[in-house]
Amino acid sequence: MATCNSNVMIFHTQIASIMEVLANAAVAEICKLVDDDYAVFRLEITQSQKENRTLRRKLQLLELKVARERAERTVRERVLASRPSSVKILDRYRGMARGHLTGGHRSFVKPAGHNTWRDDQPITVDEGSGTSTQHVIVIESADTEAAGPGVKQERSEGEEDPQHSRDIRTGAPHVFTEDPTTTPAQPRDSSITLNAVLKSETETLKRLGRLGCPPTPRSEYLLYGNPSHRTVLSHRDSGNALQTGNDPTCSYATEMIPGDVPVGLDTNPIRGDWNQYSSSVYSEGFLDKKGEGLVVDEVTVKEEGDAPLTWNADEAHLGEGQSQGNTSDFLDYRESLEPNPNIATHSPLHALRDRDPVSTSMAPSDSHGRILFDQVLNSNNKARAQAGEGGATSGGNKEKRFFCMFCNKGFNCPQKVEIHQRVHVGVKPFSCSQCQMRFSQAWNLKIHQRVHTGEKPYSCSQCHMSFAQTCNLKRHQRVHTGEKPYSCTQCEKRFSHQHQLKIHLKVHTGERAQYYPQTSGHES
DNA sequence: CTGGGGACGGGGCCC
DNA sequence: TGGGCCCCGTCCCCA
C-alpha cells in the first residue's frame, strides 16, 4: 500500500513537472505572439499617423485656399465698391525713381481710417484703464508670400479666429487684388497682411498711449518665432480717433481722418515719450542666410487726401534748417502716389503730423494740403538710399536681428533701431541750448556746439587752418595734396568736392550726378 | 563755374 | 548694451 502511495506521489510529481514545462512553453509562445502582434500593431499605428498627418495637411491647404479665395473676393468687392480712385502700392524706391534699389524691397500703403478694404473689425484691447483699438499690419515675408500676395483680414484679438490664427502662422496669404491698371508698380510684390498680432502690439500701444508714463524698460519689438520676416505696424483705428482723442491713454494714432480731432499724442522726445515710441516700433526679424533681409520694404509715406494737415514742428522737432534740397524728392515721391483719402500709413509721421493741427510754422502745406515732411524726408531719403545700398544687410558682420519698421534696415541692437528711426519720425531729442537747433543724435549736437564755442580741434598739419569736423579737415587736405577724387564721366574735369561734381554734371546733359571717386577713401 | 569752408545727417565702429 | 566717436555724404554759402 505504501509502495502504491509512493508511486502515486511520483506520478503526480512528474505530471506537475510536465505541466510546468508545458505552461512555460505556452507562456513563451504567447509572449512571442504578443510581441509579433505588437510590432505589427505599432507599424499600423505609425502608418495611420502618417496618413493622419497627410490628411491634416491637405485639410489645412484646403482651408487656406478657401479662406484666401474668400478674402480675395471680399477685398476686391470692397476695393471696387468704395474706392473709385486707385490705391497705388509702390515700391518706394522705385517710386523715387532714384535707381538705387533692386528687388526685394517692397512697400505698402495702409488703408486709412475710412479705408475700404479693411474689415471693420478693430482690435479692441481691454487695457484695464481703457480700451484701445488698433489695427495691425503684418507684412509677410517672401517665403510666405510665395504662394501669392496676401491680405489678411483684421480681426479683433478677442475673437481670434482659429482659422485666422492658422493663417497667420502659416503665412497663408489672402489675396489682395489690386486693380491692375492702377497698380503698375508692383502689385505682385505688394503683400499686405492684416493681422491681429496682438500682445506685443497691445503692449506697445499701451506704452505709446501713456503720456508721461514711465517707459517700460523692455523694448517691445515684436518677436516672432517664425523666422519668416514680418514687420508689424499698428495704429489706432481712425474710426475711433475722436474717442481716442480724448482718451487719456492717448496713442500713437496714425490714421487721422483729415479734420478729425487730433489725437493727443505727446511726442516730446525730451520727456522720453518718443523714445518709448521708437523703441516700440521696430520689429525683430532674422536675416536669412543669404542676407536678403526682410522682404518688406517700408512704410510708404502717403498723403491723406486734401486735408491741410499741419503739425507742430516745434514739438515734433524736425530738423530746422535741414530741409534744403530734398523736399522735391519727397514731393516727387509723393506724387507718385495717388492721393487717396482711403490710404494712410502706419508711419509715425502721421502721428507727428496729426499731432497738432494748429501750428504750422515749419511745415507749410501747399494748396493741395500737402505737408512738407521735407525735414523728415531729407534724412529719410538718405536712409532710403543707404538702405537700398545695403538694406538690412549693410554694414558689419554682426547679426542684425532688429529691423526698422519703416525702411527695413537691420541693426544689431534695439537702441540702434531706435536712433535710426528718428530719421523717419523726425524726432530730434537733442537741442542746442544756444540756438534751439535740434539733433537726432547727441554727437551731432556736440559737433554743432562747436559752432558756438568756436572749437576747431582738427588742425591741418600743413597750414594754419583748423576745422571743427574731421571730415572737413580731410577734405581740406586735398587742397594740399591736389587730390581730386571726383571725376566727371562726360569730360575730364575732376573735383575735390563730390558736390562740385554733382553741380558740374548739370552742365552736360542734366544727368544726375555720378561720381566715381578714384581714391580708396571715397567709395560710396 | 570753380574752389573751398561750414555745417548737418546718419551709419558704423569701438570701448 | 549704450554712448562716444569716426567717417562719409551732402547741402549751403561765399569768394
Short mmCIF file of all heavy atoms in Angstrom, two decimals, chain A residues 324-325 443 446 458 474 498 502 515 522-524, chain C residues 1-12:
data_model
loop_
_atom_site.label_atom_id
_atom_site.label_comp_id
_atom_site.label_asym_id
_atom_site.label_seq_id
_atom_site.Cartn_x
_atom_site.Cartn_y
_atom_site.Cartn_z
N GLN A 324 16.86 121.69 -46.93
CA GLN A 324 17.23 122.18 -48.24
C GLN A 324 17.36 121.04 -49.21
O GLN A 324 18.00 120.06 -48.95
CB GLN A 324 18.56 122.92 -48.17
CG GLN A 324 18.63 123.93 -47.07
CD GLN A 324 19.39 123.39 -45.91
OE1 GLN A 324 19.30 122.21 -45.61
NE2 GLN A 324 20.12 124.24 -45.26
N GLY A 325 16.78 121.27 -50.31
CA GLY A 325 17.12 120.40 -51.40
C GLY A 325 16.27 119.18 -51.59
O GLY A 325 15.93 118.84 -52.70
N TRP A 443 25.77 113.14 -30.57
CA TRP A 443 27.06 113.53 -31.11
C TRP A 443 26.92 114.68 -32.10
O TRP A 443 27.77 115.58 -32.14
CB TRP A 443 27.72 112.33 -31.78
CG TRP A 443 29.02 112.69 -32.42
CD1 TRP A 443 29.28 112.81 -33.74
CD2 TRP A 443 30.23 113.00 -31.74
NE1 TRP A 443 30.59 113.16 -33.94
CE2 TRP A 443 31.20 113.29 -32.72
CE3 TRP A 443 30.60 113.08 -30.40
CZ2 TRP A 443 32.50 113.64 -32.40
CZ3 TRP A 443 31.89 113.42 -30.09
CH2 TRP A 443 32.83 113.69 -31.08
N LYS A 446 26.81 117.73 -30.24
CA LYS A 446 28.13 118.09 -29.73
C LYS A 446 28.97 118.76 -30.83
O LYS A 446 29.66 119.76 -30.58
CB LYS A 446 28.83 116.83 -29.23
CG LYS A 446 30.12 117.11 -28.49
CD LYS A 446 30.65 115.83 -27.86
CE LYS A 446 31.93 116.12 -27.08
NZ LYS A 446 32.46 114.90 -26.43
N TYR A 458 40.50 120.10 -35.06
CA TYR A 458 41.23 119.39 -36.11
C TYR A 458 42.03 120.39 -36.96
O TYR A 458 41.46 121.19 -37.69
CB TYR A 458 40.26 118.60 -36.99
CG TYR A 458 39.36 117.71 -36.17
CD1 TYR A 458 38.04 118.07 -35.91
CD2 TYR A 458 39.84 116.52 -35.63
CE1 TYR A 458 37.22 117.27 -35.15
CE2 TYR A 458 39.03 115.72 -34.86
CZ TYR A 458 37.71 116.09 -34.63
OH TYR A 458 36.91 115.30 -33.87
N LYS A 474 39.78 116.65 -43.52
CA LYS A 474 40.19 115.67 -44.53
C LYS A 474 39.96 116.21 -45.94
O LYS A 474 40.79 116.07 -46.84
CB LYS A 474 39.40 114.37 -44.32
CG LYS A 474 39.96 113.19 -45.04
CD LYS A 474 39.21 111.92 -44.61
CE LYS A 474 39.76 110.71 -45.32
NZ LYS A 474 39.06 109.48 -44.90
N GLN A 498 32.69 116.28 -53.87
CA GLN A 498 31.68 115.49 -54.57
C GLN A 498 30.56 116.39 -55.07
O GLN A 498 30.03 116.21 -56.16
CB GLN A 498 31.13 114.43 -53.63
CG GLN A 498 30.04 113.61 -54.25
CD GLN A 498 29.49 112.62 -53.25
OE1 GLN A 498 30.22 112.11 -52.42
NE2 GLN A 498 28.21 112.35 -53.33
N LYS A 502 28.74 117.10 -58.72
CA LYS A 502 27.30 116.99 -58.90
C LYS A 502 26.76 118.23 -59.62
O LYS A 502 25.93 118.13 -60.53
CB LYS A 502 26.63 116.82 -57.55
CG LYS A 502 25.19 116.41 -57.63
CD LYS A 502 24.67 116.08 -56.24
CE LYS A 502 23.24 115.59 -56.32
NZ LYS A 502 22.72 115.20 -54.99
N TYR A 515 29.41 110.21 -59.61
CA TYR A 515 30.80 110.47 -59.32
C TYR A 515 31.52 109.16 -59.11
O TYR A 515 30.96 108.18 -58.65
CB TYR A 515 30.96 111.37 -58.11
CG TYR A 515 30.28 110.86 -56.89
CD1 TYR A 515 30.93 110.02 -56.00
CD2 TYR A 515 28.96 111.22 -56.62
CE1 TYR A 515 30.29 109.56 -54.89
CE2 TYR A 515 28.33 110.75 -55.51
CZ TYR A 515 29.00 109.93 -54.64
OH TYR A 515 28.36 109.48 -53.54
N HIS A 522 36.96 107.03 -50.78
CA HIS A 522 35.69 107.69 -51.06
C HIS A 522 34.75 106.88 -51.88
O HIS A 522 33.89 107.40 -52.55
CB HIS A 522 35.94 109.03 -51.74
CG HIS A 522 36.36 110.06 -50.77
ND1 HIS A 522 35.48 110.77 -50.02
CD2 HIS A 522 37.59 110.46 -50.40
CE1 HIS A 522 36.13 111.61 -49.24
NE2 HIS A 522 37.41 111.44 -49.45
N GLU A 523 34.91 105.64 -51.82
CA GLU A 523 33.88 104.86 -52.50
C GLU A 523 32.58 105.08 -51.76
O GLU A 523 32.55 105.15 -50.54
CB GLU A 523 34.22 103.37 -52.49
CG GLU A 523 35.25 103.00 -53.49
CD GLU A 523 36.65 103.22 -52.95
OE1 GLU A 523 36.81 103.56 -51.78
OE2 GLU A 523 37.57 103.06 -53.72
N SER A 524 31.56 105.17 -52.49
CA SER A 524 30.27 105.33 -51.85
C SER A 524 29.28 104.40 -52.46
O SER A 524 29.56 103.75 -53.43
CB SER A 524 29.79 106.78 -52.03
OG SER A 524 29.64 107.04 -53.38
P DT C 1 21.57 93.26 -26.31
OP1 DT C 1 20.12 93.02 -26.13
OP2 DT C 1 22.16 93.25 -27.66
"O5'" DT C 1 21.91 94.67 -25.62
"C5'" DT C 1 21.79 94.74 -24.20
"C4'" DT C 1 22.24 96.11 -23.75
"O4'" DT C 1 23.69 96.17 -23.70
"C3'" DT C 1 21.80 97.25 -24.67
"O3'" DT C 1 21.26 98.29 -23.89
"C2'" DT C 1 23.07 97.68 -25.39
"C1'" DT C 1 24.14 97.34 -24.37
N1 DT C 1 25.46 97.01 -24.95
C2 DT C 1 26.58 97.57 -24.40
O2 DT C 1 26.53 98.34 -23.47
N3 DT C 1 27.75 97.19 -25.01
C4 DT C 1 27.92 96.33 -26.06
O4 DT C 1 29.02 96.08 -26.51
C5 DT C 1 26.71 95.77 -26.59
C7 DT C 1 26.76 94.82 -27.74
C6 DT C 1 25.56 96.12 -26.02
P DG C 2 20.44 99.39 -24.61
OP1 DG C 2 19.27 99.67 -23.79
OP2 DG C 2 20.30 99.06 -26.03
"O5'" DG C 2 21.46 100.61 -24.48
"C5'" DG C 2 22.03 100.88 -23.21
"C4'" DG C 2 23.14 101.89 -23.36
"O4'" DG C 2 24.32 101.26 -23.90
"C3'" DG C 2 22.83 103.06 -24.29
"O3'" DG C 2 23.28 104.26 -23.70
"C2'" DG C 2 23.61 102.73 -25.56
"C1'" DG C 2 24.83 102.02 -24.97
N9 DG C 2 25.49 101.11 -25.88
C8 DG C 2 24.90 100.28 -26.82
N7 DG C 2 25.76 99.57 -27.50
C5 DG C 2 26.99 99.97 -26.99
C6 DG C 2 28.29 99.55 -27.34
O6 DG C 2 28.63 98.72 -28.19
N1 DG C 2 29.27 100.20 -26.58
C2 DG C 2 29.01 101.14 -25.60
N2 DG C 2 30.07 101.65 -24.98
N3 DG C 2 27.79 101.54 -25.28
C4 DG C 2 26.84 100.91 -26.00
P DG C 3 22.74 105.62 -24.21
OP1 DG C 3 21.83 106.16 -23.19
OP2 DG C 3 22.29 105.48 -25.61
"O5'" DG C 3 24.07 106.48 -24.21
"C5'" DG C 3 24.95 106.38 -23.09
"C4'" DG C 3 26.36 106.68 -23.53
"O4'" DG C 3 26.87 105.60 -24.35
"C3'" DG C 3 26.52 107.97 -24.35
"O3'" DG C 3 27.60 108.72 -23.84
"C2'" DG C 3 26.77 107.46 -25.77
"C1'" DG C 3 27.46 106.12 -25.52
N9 DG C 3 27.29 105.14 -26.57
C8 DG C 3 26.10 104.73 -27.13
N7 DG C 3 26.25 103.83 -28.05
C5 DG C 3 27.61 103.62 -28.11
C6 DG C 3 28.38 102.74 -28.93
O6 DG C 3 27.98 101.96 -29.80
N1 DG C 3 29.74 102.84 -28.67
C2 DG C 3 30.29 103.67 -27.72
N2 DG C 3 31.62 103.63 -27.61
N3 DG C 3 29.60 104.49 -26.95
C4 DG C 3 28.27 104.41 -27.20
P DG C 4 27.83 110.15 -24.39
OP1 DG C 4 28.13 111.02 -23.24
OP2 DG C 4 26.78 110.50 -25.36
"O5'" DG C 4 29.19 109.91 -25.20
"C5'" DG C 4 30.27 109.24 -24.56
"C4'" DG C 4 31.39 109.03 -25.55
"O4'" DG C 4 31.04 107.94 -26.44
"C3'" DG C 4 31.71 110.24 -26.42
"O3'" DG C 4 33.11 110.44 -26.46
"C2'" DG C 4 31.14 109.86 -27.79
"C1'" DG C 4 31.24 108.34 -27.78
N9 DG C 4 30.24 107.66 -28.59
C8 DG C 4 28.89 107.86 -28.56
N7 DG C 4 28.23 107.11 -29.39
C5 DG C 4 29.21 106.35 -30.00
C6 DG C 4 29.11 105.34 -31.00
O6 DG C 4 28.08 104.92 -31.54
N1 DG C 4 30.35 104.83 -31.35
C2 DG C 4 31.54 105.22 -30.80
N2 DG C 4 32.63 104.60 -31.26
N3 DG C 4 31.66 106.16 -29.86
C4 DG C 4 30.46 106.67 -29.52
P DC C 5 33.64 111.75 -27.11
OP1 DC C 5 34.87 112.12 -26.41
OP2 DC C 5 32.54 112.70 -27.28
"O5'" DC C 5 34.05 111.20 -28.55
"C5'" DC C 5 34.90 110.06 -28.63
"C4'" DC C 5 34.88 109.50 -30.03
"O4'" DC C 5 33.58 108.95 -30.32
"C3'" DC C 5 35.16 110.51 -31.14
"O3'" DC C 5 36.44 110.25 -31.70
"C2'" DC C 5 34.04 110.30 -32.16
"C1'" DC C 5 33.41 108.97 -31.71
N1 DC C 5 31.96 108.84 -31.98
C2 DC C 5 31.54 107.87 -32.89
O2 DC C 5 32.38 107.15 -33.43
N3 DC C 5 30.21 107.74 -33.15
C4 DC C 5 29.34 108.54 -32.53
N4 DC C 5 28.05 108.38 -32.81
C5 DC C 5 29.75 109.53 -31.59
C6 DC C 5 31.06 109.65 -31.36
P DC C 6 36.94 111.10 -32.86
OP1 DC C 6 38.41 111.17 -32.70
OP2 DC C 6 36.15 112.32 -33.01
"O5'" DC C 6 36.63 110.15 -34.11
"C5'" DC C 6 36.96 108.77 -34.02
"C4'" DC C 6 36.60 108.07 -35.33
"O4'" DC C 6 35.17 107.90 -35.40
"C3'" DC C 6 37.01 108.83 -36.58
"O3'" DC C 6 37.58 107.93 -37.51
"C2'" DC C 6 35.71 109.42 -37.10
"C1'" DC C 6 34.68 108.40 -36.62
N1 DC C 6 33.32 108.96 -36.36
C2 DC C 6 32.21 108.39 -36.96
O2 DC C 6 32.38 107.44 -37.73
N3 DC C 6 30.99 108.90 -36.70
C4 DC C 6 30.86 109.93 -35.86
N4 DC C 6 29.63 110.40 -35.62
C5 DC C 6 31.98 110.52 -35.22
C6 DC C 6 33.18 110.01 -35.51
P DC C 7 38.40 108.50 -38.73
OP1 DC C 7 39.50 107.57 -39.02
OP2 DC C 7 38.66 109.94 -38.53
"O5'" DC C 7 37.30 108.38 -39.89
"C5'" DC C 7 36.66 107.13 -40.07
"C4'" DC C 7 35.46 107.31 -40.98
"O4'" DC C 7 34.39 107.93 -40.24
"C3'" DC C 7 35.72 108.20 -42.18
"O3'" DC C 7 35.66 107.43 -43.36
"C2'" DC C 7 34.60 109.25 -42.14
"C1'" DC C 7 33.62 108.70 -41.13
N1 DC C 7 32.89 109.72 -40.33
C2 DC C 7 31.51 109.73 -40.33
O2 DC C 7 30.91 108.89 -41.00
N3 DC C 7 30.86 110.66 -39.60
C4 DC C 7 31.55 111.55 -38.88
N4 DC C 7 30.88 112.45 -38.17
C5 DC C 7 32.97 111.55 -38.87
C6 DC C 7 33.60 110.63 -39.60
P DC C 8 36.12 108.07 -44.69
OP1 DC C 8 36.85 107.02 -45.44
OP2 DC C 8 36.73 109.39 -44.47
"O5'" DC C 8 34.70 108.30 -45.38
"C5'" DC C 8 33.76 107.23 -45.37
"C4'" DC C 8 32.40 107.77 -45.74
"O4'" DC C 8 31.89 108.57 -44.64
"C3'" DC C 8 32.38 108.68 -46.98
"O3'" DC C 8 31.55 108.11 -47.96
"C2'" DC C 8 31.85 110.02 -46.47
"C1'" DC C 8 31.15 109.64 -45.17
N1 DC C 8 31.11 110.72 -44.15
C2 DC C 8 29.89 111.14 -43.64
O2 DC C 8 28.86 110.60 -44.05
N3 DC C 8 29.87 112.13 -42.72
C4 DC C 8 31.01 112.68 -42.30
N4 DC C 8 30.93 113.64 -41.39
C5 DC C 8 32.27 112.26 -42.81
C6 DC C 8 32.28 111.29 -43.73
P DG C 9 31.48 108.73 -49.35
OP1 DG C 9 31.34 107.62 -50.31
OP2 DG C 9 32.56 109.74 -49.50
"O5'" DG C 9 30.10 109.52 -49.28
"C5'" DG C 9 28.95 108.85 -48.76
"C4'" DG C 9 27.81 109.84 -48.63
"O4'" DG C 9 28.01 110.66 -47.46
"C3'" DG C 9 27.67 110.80 -49.82
"O3'" DG C 9 26.33 110.77 -50.29
"C2'" DG C 9 28.04 112.16 -49.25
"C1'" DG C 9 27.73 112.00 -47.77
N9 DG C 9 28.55 112.84 -46.89
C8 DG C 9 29.90 112.90 -46.86
N7 DG C 9 30.36 113.74 -45.98
C5 DG C 9 29.23 114.26 -45.38
C6 DG C 9 29.09 115.21 -44.35
O6 DG C 9 29.97 115.82 -43.74
N1 DG C 9 27.75 115.45 -44.05
C2 DG C 9 26.69 114.85 -44.67
N2 DG C 9 25.47 115.20 -44.26
N3 DG C 9 26.80 113.95 -45.64
C4 DG C 9 28.10 113.71 -45.94
P DT C 10 25.97 111.50 -51.60
OP1 DT C 10 24.83 110.77 -52.17
OP2 DT C 10 27.19 111.75 -52.38
"O5'" DT C 10 25.44 112.90 -51.06
"C5'" DT C 10 24.46 112.92 -50.03
"C4'" DT C 10 24.29 114.31 -49.48
"O4'" DT C 10 25.43 114.63 -48.66
"C3'" DT C 10 24.24 115.41 -50.54
"O3'" DT C 10 22.90 115.84 -50.69
"C2'" DT C 10 25.15 116.51 -49.99
"C1'" DT C 10 25.51 116.02 -48.60
N1 DT C 10 26.88 116.37 -48.15
C2 DT C 10 27.03 117.23 -47.10
O2 DT C 10 26.10 117.73 -46.50
N3 DT C 10 28.34 117.49 -46.75
C4 DT C 10 29.47 116.99 -47.35
O4 DT C 10 30.58 117.30 -46.96
C5 DT C 10 29.23 116.09 -48.45
C7 DT C 10 30.41 115.48 -49.16
C6 DT C 10 27.97 115.83 -48.79
P DC C 11 22.56 116.78 -51.86
OP1 DC C 11 21.22 116.37 -52.32
OP2 DC C 11 23.69 116.88 -52.81
"O5'" DC C 11 22.44 118.18 -51.10
"C5'" DC C 11 21.65 118.26 -49.92
"C4'" DC C 11 21.94 119.56 -49.22
"O4'" DC C 11 23.25 119.51 -48.65
"C3'" DC C 11 21.91 120.79 -50.14
"O3'" DC C 11 20.97 121.74 -49.66
"C2'" DC C 11 23.33 121.32 -50.10
"C1'" DC C 11 23.87 120.76 -48.79
N1 DC C 11 25.34 120.55 -48.78
C2 DC C 11 26.12 121.12 -47.78
O2 DC C 11 25.58 121.78 -46.90
N3 DC C 11 27.46 120.92 -47.81
C4 DC C 11 28.00 120.18 -48.78
N4 DC C 11 29.33 120.02 -48.77
C5 DC C 11 27.22 119.58 -49.81
C6 DC C 11 25.90 119.79 -49.77
P DC C 12 20.66 122.98 -50.51
OP1 DC C 12 19.24 123.29 -50.26
OP2 DC C 12 21.18 122.81 -51.87
"O5'" DC C 12 21.56 124.08 -49.79
"C5'" DC C 12 21.47 124.24 -48.38
"C4'" DC C 12 22.54 125.22 -47.93
"O4'" DC C 12 23.82 124.57 -47.98
"C3'" DC C 12 22.63 126.47 -48.81
"O3'" DC C 12 22.32 127.61 -48.06
"C2'" DC C 12 24.08 126.48 -49.30
"C1'" DC C 12 24.79 125.52 -48.36
N1 DC C 12 25.90 124.78 -48.99
C2 DC C 12 27.20 124.95 -48.53
O2 DC C 12 27.39 125.70 -47.59
N3 DC C 12 28.20 124.27 -49.14
C4 DC C 12 27.93 123.45 -50.16
N4 DC C 12 28.96 122.81 -50.72
C5 DC C 12 26.61 123.26 -50.65
C6 DC C 12 25.64 123.95 -50.05
#
